[in-house]
Amino acid sequence: MVCMRWEGQTATHVDADALPGLEERGSVLEQWPTPGFDGVSFMEITAKSALNRVPGDGFMGGSWTINPYRGCQHACRYCFARNTHTYLDLDAGADFDSRIVVKANLVEVLERELAGPRRAVDAVQLGTNTDPYQRAEGRYRLMPGVLQALARHGASISILTKGTLLRRDLPLLASIARDVPVSVAMSIAIFDDELQQQVEPGTPTTRSRLATVTAVREAGLDCAVFAMPILPGLTDTREHLEHAFGVIAEAGATSAIASSLHLRPGAREWYLSWLRQEHPHLMPLYASLYGRGAYAKREYRDWLRDRIGPLLRQHRLARVRTTAGTGLAAPPPRARQLPSTSQPTPEPVPTLF
Ligand code: SF4
């Protein structure tokens, strides 16, 4: 069965039947099921905006971000973006993994915004909320148009992904990198295959992500690895971490960063319900580390820092420089920087290092 609503294909259309928060974003085309995507529905929307402003320490005092999708089929149990799905009256658990909102007109809107009188957009980060190279991208192919539009505009580009689909766009990224700074980071957190499939059931394997790191390097680009989140009691053993940073270095990563798990609302319930079922003996540890908060207590983060720091040095992995507003790799340096303007002070993003 395929259900379609095509009415109101304009950006100004107000759709009374739309999902909450999407009423003014035009029509929604819902397809169920989609061949090759069993159990997943895509809600295509005509978005009104492509660029989001995040206060932080990027150029112009903040960062610009683009998120082609809401929800993510990679389905990481710890995903901090889960709660954003509740703004759409969808749940932060299974709906986040399987009901994916697609900004179908993203490239067109982005080109319009870049051509408009908006303040200079000289650095853009992709992957701040959900993964731009999740499986949906294989179907919708939004990223090539986004990258080309940003490159034409002269904006530097920073990408964080778990998606091996990134390899499709490596020739394009290598070409773009001749004109604008490009930073690529691969997120790889779990180096135990069985655990990885339990905690990140929709992601490509760790092995294939490491191979993607190598492919990025062979394309002539630097590649950072975000080896995070580190899961207390599961991936913080000396054995796991020594293996992790060893294979990250072997894959050719140029830098790395790690931090402990954050348990923000949405992710907290989803992750802990899995932990309670699979590793009930760890519940007291998590209660003592997190209490009711989102971040592991300082003593644990210091302990982890002391365990990881020597491994980074041993493998000559530079520490990734991140942007406070988004936590992503900071945009690569540019020869010309625009003058900063006063911006609201961002909420600090806790990290280990
Ligand atoms: S890949 Fe990133 S955005 Fe997607 S579910 Fe995992 S943590 Fe969330």
Side-chain angles (χ1 to χ4, degrees):
M1 173 188 151
V2 176
C3 165
M4 296 183 178
R5 286 192 285 120
W6 288 98
E7 308 91 324
Q9 292 277 322
T10 64
T12 54
H13 175 76
V14 176
D15 185 347
D17 297 328
L19 292 164
L22 301 179
E23 299 89 341
E24 295 183 1
R25 295 181 178 179
S27 64
V28 175
L29 162 62
E30 185 165 354
Q31 301 179 338
W32 179 275
T34 303
F37 290 88
D38 287 351
V40 175
S41 62
F42 294 115
M43 286 160 278
E44 298 176 7
I45 64 166
T46 47
K48 293 182 80 172
S49 65
L51 288 157
N52 312 299
R53 188 68 187 277
V54 179
D57 61 1
F59 297 108
M60 301 294 288
S63 302
W64 294 99
T65 65
I66 296 174
N67 288 291
Y69 307 99
R70 296 184 70 168
C72 183
Q73 286 174 271
H74 285 160
C76 306
R77 297 187 188 279
Y78 52 72
C79 179
F80 71 87
R82 287 189 172 279
N83 212 37
T84 61
H85 237 43
T86 63
Y87 308 157
L88 309 177
D89 210 19
L90 297 170
D91 73 49
D95 283 352
F96 179 86
D97 302 340
S98 62
R99 302 195 68 185
I100 310 298
V101 177
V102 181
K103 298 175 184 173
N105 62 337
L106 181 73
V107 176
E108 175 194 329
V109 175
L110 174 63
E111 286 175 339
R112 193 171 66 229
E113 288 180 340
L114 292 173
R118 198 185 263 269
R119 282 175 296 178
V121 176
D122 74 336
V124 175
Q125 300 186 334
L126 296 129
T128 54
N129 193 23
T130 57
D131 199 318
Y133 284 103
Q134 59 178 285
R135 288 182 57 213
E137 172 63 18
R139 171 184 171 86
Y140 287 98
R141 300 183 68 89
L142 296 175
M143 284 295 287
V146 168
L147 298 174
Q148 285 163 334
L150 293 175
R152 277 197 299 275
H153 186 73
S156 71
I157 296 165
S158 182
I159 298 170
L160 173 64
T161 183
K162 287 184 172 75
T164 52
L165 184 59
L166 172 73
R167 293 175 78 148
R168 181 198 67 193
D169 290 349
L170 284 180
L172 174 61
L173 282 165
S175 160
I176 285 173
R178 288 196 279 271
D179 300 320
V180 298
V182 171
S183 138
V184 177
M186 182 64 56
S187 169
I188 316 175
I190 304 174
F191 295 78
D192 169 313
D193 291 345
E194 190 179 340
L195 183 64
Q196 184 259 328
Q197 283 303 304
Q198 285 181 14
V199 179
E200 306 169 336
T203 57
T205 62
T206 295
R207 184 188 301 267
S208 62
R209 277 183 268 170
L210 288 167
T212 302
V213 171
T214 305
V216 173
R217 299 289 288 123
E218 289 172 351
L221 300 167
D222 285 353
C223 188
V225 170
F226 279 49
M228 51 207 268
I230 290 174
L231 310 177
L234 291 171
T235 62
D236 59 358
T237 62
R238 192 178 297 280
E239 182 187 17
H240 185 272
L241 294 171
E242 283 176 353
H243 171 66
F245 287 100
V247 293
I248 287 169
E250 266 174 37
T254 38
S255 57
I257 191 170
S259 81
S260 54
L261 174 71
H262 299 167
L263 287 176
R264 297 191 183 127
R268 181 185 181 89
E269 297 78 11
W270 197 242
Y271 179 83
L272 290 181
S273 70
W274 167 81
L275 191 76
R276 188 174 295 112
Q277 187 173 323
E278 300 295 330
H279 302 279
H281 65 287
L282 291 177
M283 293 304 288
L285 171 67
Y286 278 72
S288 78
L289 289 182
Y290 291 90
R292 295 177 182 274
Y295 306 112
K297 62 185 181 184
R298 167 59 64 185
E299 292 81 355
Y300 177 80
R301 289 185 276 145
D302 289 346
W303 173 82
L304 200 52
R305 179 198 59 209
D306 292 345
R307 178 161 279 197
I308 289 172
L311 293 172
L312 291 175
R313 288 191 289 277
Q314 177 187 337
H315 293 291
R316 299 180 186 280
L317 290 162
R319 182 179 175 263
V320 178
R321 193 172 62 88
T322 56
T323 301
T326 62
L328 261 64
R334 299 176 62 87
R336 179 182 63 87
Q337 291 194 13
L338 299 174
S340 63
T341 56
S342 62
Q343 294 295 326
T345 304
E347 182 186 348
V349 175
T351 55
L352 262 175
F353 306 117

